[in-house]
Amino acid sequence: MGFFFSLHQFSDFALLALRIALGAVFVTHGLGKRRLWSMQPSEHLPAGMLRKLRILSIAEPAGGLGVLVGFLTQLAALGLVIAMLGALQFLITKAHRKFTGENAGWEFEFTLLIVALALAILGGGKYALDRVIFGL
């Protein structure tokens, strides 16, 4: 049992792992939205939705990169929390998805929200640029 009580000494490595995972997901997904800049509004993608997705094509990789390297980690993670709250609101109210579904649910987005929230609260840890630059 003593082994589990001593795991807290690895909390900075855990924060690093969370940062790398969350940052990689947001950088990858955000950069995938770059193609939206060449698209025109349509019946399936109205102008308002296209505008929001274009904003996300900048905000997601920027926040993901900040979290990934640990620069302004809490602020970047808070931005990702806001993005995920918007995604969940859309998936639940507009796309009418359940938590888990046959084709797709919103459990992945919920997990990203919780990881981003944890990093917004805890910060980047010892292995983040925040520590080097700001002494946090």
Side-chain angles (χ1 to χ4, degrees), residues 59-71:
E60 284 183 5
L65 189 60
V67 165
L68 185 68
V69 299
F71 181 68

Side-chain angles (χ1 to χ4, degrees), residues 23-133:
V25 167
F26 274 98
V27 168
T28 303
H29 283 255
L31 290 177
K33 291 179 176 73
R34 287 181 304 177
R35 62 182 171 75
L36 295 167
W37 287 91
S38 62
M39 296 178 72
Q40 297 297 319
S42 67
E43 181 181 319
H44 298 292
L45 193 59
M49 176 67 83
L50 185 59
R51 184 174 35 253
K52 289 176 187 172
L53 290 172
R54 285 176 177 168
I55 292 169
L56 287 175
S57 76
I58 298 167
E60 284 183 5
L65 189 60
V67 165
L68 185 68
V69 299
F71 181 68
L72 299 175
T73 306
Q74 291 175 296
L75 184 61
L78 187 58
L80 298 178
V81 165
I82 293 167
M84 294 318 301
L85 286 172
L88 286 171
Q89 186 268 336
F90 173 80
L91 292 173
I92 294 167
T93 62
K94 304 283 193 246
H96 303 289
R97 289 192 190 169
K98 298 188 182 328
F99 183 70
T100 58
E102 264 184 45
N103 295 327
W106 50 267
E107 70 277 1
F108 179 67
E109 290 81 2
F110 180 72
T111 302
L112 294 177
L113 168 71
I114 297 305
V115 172
L117 182 62
L119 288 172
I121 294 168
L122 297 172
K126 182 166 53 172
Y127 306 110
L129 281 178
D130 289 339
R131 167 120 352 170
V132 175
I133 296 171

